[in-house]
């Protein structure tokens, strides 16, 4: 039983997952390593059992505490955008949520640091990621606005919740040549932006319109 739940036999079958991968390809995701992660990470384990039949639909789903698991297309897009310039060793993720994006990315980088401000969500993510035997990660209950200065600099920073603007200290924690990907905007509609830190400053590219939950300050234990 345990094994079939982990491998996702039944309503979370290989065919259902392949359909999702095809859909992401049609939408322009082309990095095979990223598509492989979408194929292999059991997304149904990151949502409540009642929602597991919908886990391989390309939609965001509720995970409690007013938060959501991101849409697979957006997870793939952000991961692809982060890796586009070549291998990335050390990544900081802000907004662990259920840990799905963390699991997709972890295998593709050397080390991942992820911060979440809601205690019970982080505890659940920790259990799921442990169950999947993902070990190159460090999770922390904190306000991601501050980043993780003690572990800086990072080659990449990923925000999975939207601030009105990038907190300056996050750029300080990015190494030169590194990339920061974030949804930026005050309301429910934002722009996904990739920033690249160079010797001369920070360059900015838009990756399209997105809809994320807001980046909030303070902790919820
Ligand atoms: N990465 C998740 C998406 C999580 S939704 C996935 O793969 O599906 C965004 C998450 O960001 C929420 O869990 C929310 O609690 C968290 N968040 C919001 N503001 C934050 C902050 N200041 N620091 C850390 N996490 C924050």
């Amino acid at each position: 039983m345990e094994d079939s739940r982990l491998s996702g036999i039944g309503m979370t079958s290989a065919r259902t997952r392949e359909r999702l991968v095809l859909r992401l390809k049609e939408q322009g995701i082309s990095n095979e390593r990223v598509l492989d992660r979408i194929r292999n990470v059991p997304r149904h384990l990151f949502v409540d059992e009642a929602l597991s039949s919908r886990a391989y639909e390309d939609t965001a789903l509720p995970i409690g505490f007013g938060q959501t698991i991101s849409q697979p297309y957006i997870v793939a897009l952000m991961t692809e955008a982060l890796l586009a310039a070549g291998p990335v060793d050390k990544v900081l993720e802000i907004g662990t949520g259920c840990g799905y994006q963390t699991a997709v990315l972890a295998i593709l980088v050397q080390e991942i640091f992820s911060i979440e401000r809601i205690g019970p969500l982080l505890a659940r993510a920790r259990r799921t990621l442990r169950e999947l035997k993902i070990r190159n990660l460090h999770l922390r209950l904190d306000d991601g606005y501050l980043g993780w200065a003690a572990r800086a600099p990072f080659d990449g920073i990923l925000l999975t919740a939207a601030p009105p603007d990038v907190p300056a200290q996050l750029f300080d924690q990015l190494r030169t040549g590194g990339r920061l990907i974030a949804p930026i905007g005050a309301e429910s509609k934002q722009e996904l932006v990739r920033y690249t830190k160079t010797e001369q400053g920070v360059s900015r590219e838009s990756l399209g319109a997105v809809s994320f939950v807001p980046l909030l300050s303070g902790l919820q234990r």
Side-chain angles (χ1 to χ4, degrees):
M1 275 315 280
E2 187 63 9
D3 280 346
S4 68
R5 195 177 75 85
L6 273 177
S7 60
I9 289 167
M11 57 194 169
T12 54
S13 70
R15 195 146 46 98
T16 320
R17 295 187 193 194
E18 211 46 52
R19 209 180 299 136
L20 172 61
V21 168
L22 248 178
R23 192 188 147 101
L24 300 194
K25 278 187 186 168
E26 282 164 11
Q27 288 178 280
I29 304 297
S30 62
N31 184 324
E32 284 297 335
R33 298 182 72 210
V34 174
L35 291 166
D36 245 17
R37 290 305 289 153
I38 298 288
R39 189 179 283 121
N40 294 325
V41 175
R43 190 167 182 259
H44 63 283
L45 297 187
F46 292 86
V47 296
D48 278 351
E49 223 163 319
L51 287 173
S52 60
S53 66
R54 300 191 55 201
Y56 298 94
E57 291 175 14
D58 189 24
T59 53
L61 295 168
I63 56 171
F65 303 92
Q67 307 303 322
T68 53
I69 179 170
S70 298
Q71 181 192 349
Y73 170 69
I74 297 295
V75 170
L77 180 68
M78 290 178 83
T79 309
E80 189 169 77
L82 186 72
L83 300 176
V88 174
D89 290 344
K90 210 168 127 191
V91 177
L92 173 66
E93 175 189 43
I94 297 171
T96 318
C98 62
Y100 177 67
Q101 166 79 70
T102 323
V104 168
L105 190 54
I107 306 298
L108 303 174
V109 300
Q110 239 166 52
E111 230 180 342
I112 184 163
F113 297 80
S114 187
I115 305 175
E116 171 58 52
R117 64 177 285 279
I118 301 179
L121 275 183
L122 187 69
R124 199 163 69 198
R126 196 184 290 283
R127 278 199 302 277
T128 312
L129 292 164
R130 190 176 292 150
E131 189 175 16
L132 295 177
K133 300 188 167 48
I134 294 174
R135 302 199 206 281
N136 58 330
L137 60 85
H138 310 265
L139 301 176
R140 177 183 164 107
L141 181 67
D142 207 349
D143 182 348
Y145 259 106
L146 309 171
W148 196 329
R151 298 307 197 114
F154 299 98
D155 303 304
I157 300 181
L158 212 61
L159 273 70
T160 73
D165 222 327
V166 179
Q169 58 273 22
L170 296 185
F171 283 130
D172 295 341
Q173 294 178 24
L174 192 63
R175 88 169 160 74
T176 303
R179 297 171 153 206
L180 183 149
I181 298 173
I184 301 294
E187 303 298 327
S188 61
K189 288 270 170 260
Q190 307 105 18
E191 183 183 15
L192 189 62
V193 181
R194 174 168 59 193
Y195 299 90
T196 306
K197 184 169 171 178
T198 68
E199 299 282 359
Q200 291 76 37
V202 175
S203 71
R204 183 186 197 281
E205 287 161 83
S206 175
L207 304 176
V210 288
S211 175
F212 277 79
V213 296
L215 191 74
L216 301 174
S217 297
L219 297 189
Q220 188 177 329
R221 287 182 192 275

